[in-house]
Amino acid sequence: HIFRKGTMAKEGEDGKPPELKKVLGPIDLVVIGVAGSVGAGVFAFSGVAAARYAGPAVVISYLFAGFCALFFCAPYAEMAAMIPNSAGACSFATAAFGRFLGWLVGWSLIAEYMFAASAVSIAWSAYFTGLFHQLQLDIPHVIATSPIDYDQDSNILLTGAWFNLPAVVLILLCSGVVMVGAKEFSLLTAIILSVKVGTLILFVLFGCMFVNPHNWDPFIPPEVSFGHFGWTGVLRASSLTTFAFIGFDAIATAAKESLDPVKDMPTAMFATIGICIVLYSSVSLVLTGLVTYTALAEPDPLIIAATAAGPGFSWIIPFIQVAVVVGLPSVVVVSLFAMSRVLSVMAEDGLVPSFFSTLHPSTRTPVAGTAVCAVAAAALSALCPVEIIAELASIGTLFAIITVCAAVIWLRQSQPERLRPFAVPTIAVPVLGILLALVQVCFMPWITWARFVCWMIAGAAVYWGRSACAGAEGEAAAAGYEALPDAPPP
C-alpha cells in the first residue's frame, strides 16, 4: 500500500468516528500560528545564531527565512483550502503520493513538533532558573540543565547535570492545557501571546535608544569556516531558524477544528508569516546593536543585551523574564496540539495505533495521544541541549515543506479539474519553494543531516514493522481510501 492515496472527500461521511469540535475562527487560527512561532527562535536561538553563525547579519538570516516561508506557506494554503478535512502536510502527502510517503512526512512532523516543544521548554527553563536566582531561590544546577552539550565543532561535552527538571514540568503542564479543548486553549493562548509580543515590542522601541552602531561592525563577520560567519554562516543561521516560522504548519493541523477552513486558513497562514518577519528582524537588529554578538551564545540573549545596555534599560529585564516564563509555554502548547492532531489523523488512516485518535467524551480531544506526545517531548527536553533539538526541528520542517510543494505540482498535473478555492498564481511558486528549502537544507551541519537520516530510517522501520504486524487494522483503514491518480514512480 505504499502508493495508496488518501481521500479528499468532504467531512461528515458515514462511518466516520466522532469528530473534533469546529470552534476556531480566523483570529483563533492567527493566534495559534503566531503563538506557535514566536518562542525559542527569537528568545533563545537568536543569540546562538548570531554568536556562532551570522554575527549582526542574523537579521538578514531572519529576513531570508521569512522570505522563504512565504513561498513555503503558499503551497500549504492551496492544499489546506483544497483538502479542508486534513491535518496538514501528512494528509497532503498521503493524498498526492500515497501512504508510505504520507507516513514519512507524518514521522517528520512528529519530530518537528516534538523537537520544537522541547527546544522551547529548554529555553524557558534557562529564563525560569534565572528568575529564581534573582529572587535568591536557586534551583540546583544538576536538575536545571541538560547533562550533555556540544561545541561548535560538534564535539559532545558532559555538563555534570542530571536532567532539566523545569523543562519537563513545563511540558507536562502544557499537555494538560491541550487536553482541555481547542477553544479553551486558544483563548488562553491569546492572553499569553499578548504578553509575549507586547514585551518584544517594548524591547525594540526602547532598546533602539541604547544601540551602539559599533556593535554592528563588521555586520557580516569574515568567514572562519564553511557555515561559520560570512555569507555561508548567514545562510546556515537562516536554515536553523526555519523552525521559528512553523506556525503556519500548525495552522494546517487545525483544519478539522476550523469553522471555515477553506476561507480562513490561507489568510491566517500569510498573516502569521508577516507578523513573524516584522518581529524577528526588528528584535535581532536591536539585540545585536546592544551588545557585541560574541556575547550572545547563551540561552537568554535578550537579558544579556539588556544588561549590557546599562541601568537605563535594565528595567526591562523583569518584563522579559515574565514574558518568557508566562509566554514561551504557548509555543509548547501549540506544538503539542499540532503533534497530537497529526497523530490523530494518522491513526484514522491506520498508520499508527488507533488510540491516538480516541477522543475524550466531554472535551472531544485526543487525550491519550496528547499524553504520549508530552512524555516523549519531556524526555528530550530533560536530556538534550537546545542547539541539537532546534536543528532537528528545522530539518524536519524543511522535509515536510519540500513534500507539500511537490504535492501541489503533482496534483496540478494529475488533477487540474479539482476545485482550488485558493491557488498559487503560478507553478513557479512551489518550484521555487522546493529550491529555497533545498538551499537551506544544504547549509545545515553534517551532524544534523546524520541525525535526521537516522530518524527517517527509524520511521521507515516502524512503518514496515507495523504493516507486517498489524495488517488487519491497516487493511481496514486502507479499504476506505478513494482511488486517486497513480503516484510517480519511487
Side-chain angles (χ1 to χ4, degrees), residues 344-441:
S344 177
V345 170
M346 292 174 71
E348 291 175 8
D349 291 346
L351 296 174
V352 296
S354 58
F355 77 85
F356 280 105
S357 63
T358 302
L359 304 183
H360 190 275
S362 59
T363 63
R364 302 269 290 279
T365 58
V367 172
T370 302
V372 173
C373 295
V375 171
L380 271 177
S381 64
L383 303 175
C384 297
V386 67
E387 294 90 343
I388 293 177
I389 296 176
E391 291 169 4
L392 287 170
S394 289
I395 197 169
T397 302
L398 290 168
F399 174 74
I401 286 168
I402 290 171
T403 307
V404 172
C405 291
V408 170
I409 297 170
W410 172 247
L411 291 176
R412 283 286 187 96
Q413 301 299 316
S414 61
Q415 295 192 14
E417 76 288 348
R418 178 168 287 278
L419 177 63
R420 290 170 170 81
F422 173 86
V424 295
T426 171
I427 203 68
V429 172
V431 171
L432 187 56
I434 292 175
L435 294 177
L436 290 172
L438 288 174
V439 167
Q440 291 192 310
V441 168

Side-chain angles (χ1 to χ4, degrees), residues 39 45-46 93 107 113 143 154 196 223 345 360 376 381 396 469 475:
F45 201 70
S46 56
W107 186 254
Y113 291 119
I143 60 169
S154 300
K196 183 166 53 176
E223 183 173 313
V345 170
H360 190 275
S381 64
C469 299
E475 291 293 333

